[in-house]
Amino acid sequence: MDLISWATQKPHELGWRLAASANEWQFKIARDTLVIPFGLALSLTVFHVIYVLVLTHRHGSYHQTDTPIFASRSASGISFQEIRARAKGHGGWTIYAFAVGRLIGCILLFALSVTTLRRRISLESIVAPPARVIMQYPETFMVLTYLYSSVCSLAGVVMIKPPRVAAHCNSLVLFVAFGVYLYRDLWPLATYSEFPKDANEGLLLWAKLVVLFITAVLIPLFVPNIYVPMDPKDPMPVPNAEQTCSLFSFITYGYIGSIIRLSGQMDHLDAEKLPPLCDTDTAKNLVNKSFPHMDPFQKAKSQHIFFGLMRALRTEYICMALTIAVACTAEFAPAICIYQILNYLEHGPSDSNIRPWFWVLFFFLGPTIHTIFWEAYIFLSTRVLVRTEAILTELVFEHSLRVRFTAEPMNDDKTDTNQDRDHITVVDSLDNSSEAPAPSNSDADSDTTATMTSTTGKGKLKIAAPTASPATVPKVISAVPPTKNPTKGNLVGKINNFVTTDLNNIIRAKDFFFLVINLPIQVTLCMVFLYKLLGWSSFVGLACMIALLPAPGYAARLIQNFQKRKMEKTDARIQIVAEVVAVLRMVKLFGWERKMLSKIQTTRDEELISIWWLKVLQSFLGAINSIIPTVAMLATYATYAGIMRKELTPSVIFSSLTVFGLLRDQLYITSSQIARATQAKVSLDRINAFLKESELLDVYIDSGAKTEAPPENSSSFNKDLVGFKNASFVWSLDSAEGHVTPSRRFYRLHIRGELFFKPNRVNLIIGPTGSGKTSMLMALLGEMHYLPESIDSWFNLPREEGVAYAAQESWVQNETIRSNILFGSPYDETRYKKVLTQCDLDKDLELFEAGDDTEVGEKGITLSGGQKARLTLARAIYSPAKTILLDDILAALDVHTSKTIVEKCLQGDLVKGRTIILVTHNITLAFPIASFIVTIGQDGTITGQDNDIGKSMSSNPVLVEAVHREAEESEISVQKIPLLAKKETPIDGKLILKEEITHGRVDWKSLELFFSALGGGHSIAFFGIWLSSFVLSCSTNAFTKWFLGYWGSQYESHDPSEVNVAYYCTLYSLIVLLAILISNMSYIIFVSGTVRSSRTINTLLLESVLGSTLRWLDETPTARIITRFTQDIQSIDSTLPEEFFGLTAQTLYLITSLAVVLIFTPFFVAPALFIAAIGFYLGRLYLKAQLGVTREKSNARSPVLAHFTAAISGIVSVRAYGAQRQFKAESLHRIDKHTRIARITYNLNRWIGVRIDLLGGIFRAGLATYLIYGRPIGASNSGFALNMTTELCRTLLYVVRYFNDFEIQSNSLERIQRYLDIDHEPKATESGKPPAAWPTSGDLIVENLSARYSQNGPVVLHNLSFQIKSGQRVGIVGRTGSGKSSLTLALLRCIITEGTVYYDGIKTSDINLDALRSKVTIIPQTPELISGTLRRNLDPFDQFDDGVLNDALRAAGLFGLQDELGEARIGLDSNIASAGGNLSVGEKQILALARAMVRGSKLLILDEATSAIDHKTDVAIQTALRYKLDPDVTVITVAHRLQTIMDVDKIMVLDEGRIVEFDTPSALLKKDGGLFKLLVDGSANGATLYEAAGITQVTAPSVCSGL
């Protein structure tokens, strides 16, 4: 029947016939595989229709601008501009060309399928209706499928912006069609019994396969990806190639090739030359994506941050799960191939229907698939690692800006290991902290008035508006959860550990998917494979493995215990090192280098003993993990051959050997991952507790409270007022609840009634040392806990117009002087110059060649204390803030500078209309400009406040006494600062140099340091014994595998009953035990060398740093020094020797594998060497790129931590200025820089991994081909060769990796070597030891003493000659920069000197420095204290009893200062926070003086040591210096107050580094025109000074007479 007859039939007849035809061909169609792609295409057509309808419904039209252009064009065609528009819409010409290529391919496929269909119909000469044609000729389904693909391709070409989903769907259909043809027509070629189903198509079939391969495989693989920005509003200017590369480039990491090529063209690949960061990895986008799930203040659920992190990165984790599942399944391909190949060699083709060439091909494709998915998993996991690092770093940083920091000492009680480490800050803050952007009044954390009110009698806090983000009391720290009372530690240390140690623990556990996915899949597949291969004997092996599992568990617990012990010892060492480095100047000035070296070495030896036992136990665990699979394998083989009486053929042995190797790997992975996961959980819990439980500023405690105005009965409240009403403040809620013991002093600030500071005027806060003047400022800033005392309590600090703050301990950033002053505010030249002048900084800038572009260094090391104070003041004055809080800024200034600041700055035009609140001891200078004075008593209560200064003076006798007293105290007036005050800085202003990054390979000098220390004094013997044992170990391991093959070969020539299973099992067991014994012996020999090298290198580094010059300390940040003793020494202890051991092991294994190939397949040696040569060439390219990038990465993290640390150390200032948002932005910028380098570092590993594995696959497949089709060598030897070559390829990759990692870790050697090559002070010699009784007196003779700070620096002291007799007290005066401090340093040989100094008759240049300095005591203006008890600070080496220590404290005036404190007074057992953070500056100076008295030196030097002490305490100290010291003690005092030196024996006046006057006070006062006489005559109370010197003079008018 023809088609016309079918078309003219009645409908019911046509339907009947169609139904009949459907029944007839239903079974045939259902079984035909060609229907699969058609069904998929039909389903996707329905999907497209639904997709268009949804878009039409949602937007009203479907991309009207994307309709095909051809529909509206004339016959003239399309212009070039329109084609270019389409190409642009596709993402570029390349992508458009691929789209056109796909269209051509689809049309060709459609044409070829139509041709095939027509040929088949014509050949059979059948005329049938369309339905019958479809059913009888399945090729029709392919015609329709290719029609669908052609339409999709055409739409993709003609539409300006085609939807990407259409191209993806089309590629999927074509790929499925290609897979169908592979199954139908290519798979049968790999069998002995099947034939291609479409073979009758002839050349048309191969044409279709070629076109389909190009269209379905090549084009999707190689078409570039279209860049889709994560934030369409903020796309990347130049997207990263990772986001635009093709799929093939992505899975083979070909886009990394540009970095590889670039690195080959230069010595060092700088970070600036690396590709840009993907916008999916930018910190800003990561924060926006993750913080809603993790940040408690972005309404994140009250869940653990682990689940928040999993939710934020859920896409990556899902992909990781899929890739690891595929990778671990594909890992069984080598075992299957080895079995099939060896089975073919044993029995020929009779046992298998599959041709051997297929298994050779699968031997290449299977591991390749594993490589692709395994590297994809590592790619994803390292991406997650970097993102997690960025997210958690920023999360901790931003939360730190909310946390309340209190001045708490460290707890002496023992806590867990992690908490014990919290006070140790391991940060390499080497780079310059970038300038913080200008404070913005739009900052949600800082822009509104800080007002706290109490609306209930219960004192519940209500937040009227957010205050400035929290600040740290400029002291050491502890955060206390409001609902708990855990042991308080150093919160600064904790926070730094969160982003270093804890973060490292978390990211090391990134592979926890091994435990939840890889482990169950691999173990299950291993048992299935073994059961199929060995039957029920596999369960015997499994039972043995389960029975022995407690052994590694017990060993792991031992290791965990030793690990904790080792960490405790490491923490103890790092704590001491950190403390010593923090006070290294004091250590050198006191001559404590040898004592500190001995103390550190003692803790180091204890740590190394723990390291030794830990490594021995790890070796023991490794042996157990090797024995367990071996026992399981042996039991399985014994059961299979001995009990089941089966043939243990080579195919069974070597395939199962591979699987048992996988089981062994799972044991290693499981034990390590469990340990890492446990550590990560602890660290996550710590960070989670910090986020959820840390003590916050009051403004964050009840963030859900509604904004509420003060109560109506508070008629005194005004939102513009600065003040308090009936309020109390405490540092810790514990102290408010009575939880703080007397030994851990608590403090409460009381304001009863009203206290309003006068707006637009200068307000003073005064009081004795330690009374809480700073606390009042902190209370205003919201840093203390607010405790309302009545229903109408409140306090207020307006913030709408800004707040500026200058701390007593000046906080400066490691930036230029200008950047510190601007603090991100816009630069106004006129205002800026006024600030410099009024803050008396213009003259200081002349001292620096780079002017205000001079970097101030870490903690402002290039500046004096006064310069830092004025710089901090300049920042506050320059800011546009309406309210300025100044915390005792005059304390660090001499009288003249203080007068200048008061007259020019505090009365200048820049402070007009601004409210100034000034804490000061210098009442004489400040009260004339003050409009309001607040007096605080010793107990923290307000003892006086008055707007009428005259009334206040008359009614407050204490204040009158203070004014009269301070009127007597003056210092030399200064007209200019001489040149000698100039501190050397390079012309570009850089002092703290950027840490050097070594270019090229690691230098031999650094490697020699390690190798010589490793071998000790017998390097040749050590390396000879160790390497010999290692070679023997590798040979024995290879022999064990060969022996298994030999055992299996016995079944080829003997009946199974003739093979003595017990004999072979016993012999194999002995060989394995021997191999394990030799391996462990070799490792223990190596561990002995590593412990020796760790001890030697640490000692060399310690001696070098302790022997460094003060100039080097000025140029080197302390955090960078600490990093040498932490990060780099940790590398020397563990990572570096582990990498070297791994490199040696893998190199020997590689040589062993090549030797096996040489012995068993000598014909294949040339290909093996060729593959190895290519591998080493690729490795060389990789190493060149990776080494430079990794060096950049090691330094890229430091600026992140430096910014972090700088912000935390100055958190009070940051929050006071409202600069949180700007510091967050800077943090994000620095994180991005680190992320950019880190991603490339990890991706370079993927690049080399894929290529080495592909080379290995080629080599394996080539060897398998040779073993099958070449000269036969027997199944057992073939199996042995295949097994060894499988490891050879893996070993080649490991050699490259280990070599790279060893070079990278050797960076620590380079960094340590640079610290060994620094400038050193003269070392101690035997001839430099003074007599045992020296010194017996304090006699000092100086002859022609000149000094400079560096070899090329200017001379700061010029030919000074003088004599001071034993027991004399000498005062040194001189204007700023006259050389006073330089003289004190020169006497101790701390700077470069010329001339002669005799101390008790012996030339100091002939005496060892430690001997000299241990016999002289100097008290600097800024004292240095260490954490621990007060006793430890006074007597760090336990040399004196408590009676001596208490006498020193009493003589120094501490007890007199605390008469009113009762139980809260400081005692020997009181805890002192790090750097004395829980003490005032005055208290620290008192303790430093007490420490000097304890030393009992014959020469005592005070360098303005009482500048921050009130008069009462100063009088007590001066009395002690006059009457409590031994009569033969010589005292040299650099004067801060003239009153303190008027009764000395002699006064030395310095000017420009020269002695201009040196005589008794009375003689100098009688010298007409003398500089000292002019100074005294010009003082406000010269008569008193004359009287103190024993001379009568007419009384000068009192400065108070006008009051």
Side-chain angles (χ1 to χ4, degrees), residues 876-936:
I877 299 300
Y878 186 85
S879 75
K882 171 73 173 178
T883 305
I884 302 177
L885 310 181
L886 306 177
D887 190 359
D888 209 3
I889 57 168
L890 304 179
L893 308 179
D894 56 52
V895 171
H896 170 77
T897 307
S898 297
K899 287 181 179 178
T900 303
I901 295 299
V902 170
E903 294 171 0
K904 292 185 178 181
C905 180
L906 300 183
Q907 298 183 82
D909 59 325
L910 293 179
V911 300
K912 287 184 179 179
R914 305 169 81 174
T915 302
I916 310 293
I917 301 178
L918 172 65
V919 170
T920 186
H921 280 292
N922 203 330
I923 305 172
T924 306
L925 289 176
F927 84 82
I929 66 171
S931 301
F932 182 70
I933 294 181
V934 177
T935 306
I936 303 179

Side-chain angles (χ1 to χ4, degrees), residues 1013-1189:
L1014 194 65
H1018 309 281
S1019 297
I1020 296 178
F1022 169 79
F1023 283 104
I1025 296 173
W1026 173 56
L1027 290 176
S1028 298
S1029 62
F1030 217 145
V1031 170
L1032 184 60
S1033 173
C1034 293
S1035 303
T1036 309
N1037 284 327
F1039 181 74
T1040 58
K1041 297 176 182 178
W1042 177 87
F1043 182 80
L1044 282 175
Y1046 174 75
W1047 180 4
S1049 67
Q1050 300 304 306
Y1051 291 94
E1052 297 178 357
S1053 57
H1054 298 82
D1055 187 84
S1057 60
E1058 298 177 2
V1059 179
N1060 190 342
V1061 177
Y1063 168 78
Y1064 286 105
C1065 284
T1066 303
L1067 194 56
Y1068 177 74
S1069 301
L1070 292 176
I1071 296 173
V1072 169
L1073 289 176
L1074 179 63
I1076 292 175
L1077 179 63
I1078 295 174
S1079 176
N1080 281 272
M1081 182 186 68
S1082 171
Y1083 183 71
I1084 290 175
I1085 292 173
F1086 180 75
V1087 167
S1088 301
T1090 62
V1091 171
R1092 179 170 52 247
S1093 69
S1094 295
R1095 180 184 292 109
T1096 302
I1097 293 175
N1098 183 76
T1099 301
L1100 290 173
L1101 177 62
L1102 192 58
E1103 290 177 344
S1104 179
V1105 171
L1106 289 175
S1108 62
T1109 63
L1110 292 183
R1111 179 65 179 173
W1112 182 81
L1113 293 178
D1114 289 344
E1115 298 172 343
T1116 309
T1118 56
R1120 195 182 295 176
I1121 300 174
I1122 293 174
T1123 302
R1124 298 295 89 79
F1125 288 99
T1126 51
Q1127 176 181 311
D1128 293 323
I1129 288 297
Q1130 182 181 3
S1131 176
I1132 301 299
D1133 288 346
S1134 58
T1135 314
L1136 181 68
E1138 288 171 3
E1139 299 297 345
F1140 179 63
F1141 183 84
L1143 174 62
T1144 306
Q1146 297 303 324
T1147 301
L1148 292 176
Y1149 289 152
L1150 180 63
I1151 295 173
T1152 304
S1153 299
L1154 288 173
V1156 169
V1157 175
L1158 175 65
I1159 294 172
F1160 291 96
T1161 55
F1163 175 79
F1164 218 71
V1165 170
L1169 294 177
F1170 178 72
I1171 292 292
I1174 296 176
F1176 280 114
Y1177 172 73
L1178 293 175
R1180 179 176 168 273
L1181 295 178
Y1182 161 77
L1183 289 174
K1184 182 71 182 298
Q1186 183 67 287
L1187 192 60
V1189 175

